[in-house]
Amino acid sequence: MKQIIALGGGGFSMEPENPLLDSYILQQSGKPSPKICFIPTASGDADNYIARFYQFYKKHECEPSHLSLFNPPTRDFEKFILDKDIIYVGGGNTRNMLTLWRDWGLDIILKKAYEHGVILAGISAGSLCWFQEGVTDSFGDELEPLKCLGFLEGSNCPHYDGEEKRRPSYQKMVSDNNIIAGIATDDGVALHYVNNKLEHVVSSRPNAKVYKVYFEKVLKEEELPTRYLGR
């Protein structure tokens, strides 16, 4: 079974006192103590970000580790990745992350891991990277479309309610055909894809929402059902 869990925002890095999304990710492995690996490339392998990952996940039933491209733990990335149950990709500069991944061949390894049943998860850059295209601020102050890995069809826009420019920018890109139609996620929402199909939408915040955004003579924004994990 192939699974991707894409967080529009939230999780240990944004709401460390709210474990709902992180617990949900761990539960999907079906193992009592899953091996979860953090990939913080988009943040430039920021020490503080890595520390926060361990601080959170060491309190839970799992085996946390991380993969740094600036200080690699091994030469054999494929063996390292395929040994894990869950890969969790952090936020930051998506364009730089994808460039480094492709240079190291990590994009190919992650696709192989996905095909072999390793759960792929992530927030922000770690969400939109799995889609064909995504909305990013990697180029500076303005939001722009970005070609991504294409494991999932369509485009993705995280932080839909968390950043003022996200909603109007994404809608204009879709309307102007500068980005393909896709899914927009508020902070605190996770999209759970199973075998390339969106099966579950869950949230750590009671009012967080997800929208299907597409152009059909006019721009359309269709709210999708979301299940609050706190109930």
Side-chain angles (χ1 to χ4, degrees), residues 6 29 100:
S29 74
L100 283 170

Side-chain angles (χ1 to χ4, degrees), residues 178-197:
N178 289 326
I179 195 170
I180 54 179
I183 303 287
T185 48
D186 284 353
D187 288 340
V189 176
L191 307 170
H192 186 178
Y193 287 82
V194 179
N195 297 327
N196 302 336
K197 181 181 178 183

Side-chain angles (χ1 to χ4, degrees), residues 158-196:
H159 309 304
Y160 205 50
D161 68 334
E163 298 177 9
E164 184 179 358
K165 294 181 179 180
R166 289 277 174 171
R167 194 178 213 133
S169 295
Y170 187 47
Q171 290 183 357
K172 189 174 191 308
M173 288 178 200
V174 173
S175 296
D176 294 346
N177 200 31
N178 289 326
I179 195 170
I180 54 179
I183 303 287
T185 48
D186 284 353
D187 288 340
V189 176
L191 307 170
H192 186 178
Y193 287 82
V194 179
N195 297 327
N196 302 336

Side-chain angles (χ1 to χ4, degrees), residues 111-160:
K111 183 63 181 293
K112 186 173 183 178
Y114 178 52
E115 299 290 345
H116 280 71
V118 177
I119 297 171
L120 304 181
I123 179 174
S124 194
S127 170
L128 65 93
C129 68
W130 312 119
F131 293 81
Q132 288 175 285
E133 297 178 350
V135 177
T136 182
D137 56 4
S138 297
F139 300 92
D141 293 336
E142 296 301 317
L143 293 165
E144 298 182 40
L146 178 71
K147 298 289 184 183
C148 300
L149 296 176
F151 296 3
L152 299 172
E153 292 185 355
S155 64
N156 179 234
C157 179
H159 309 304
Y160 205 50

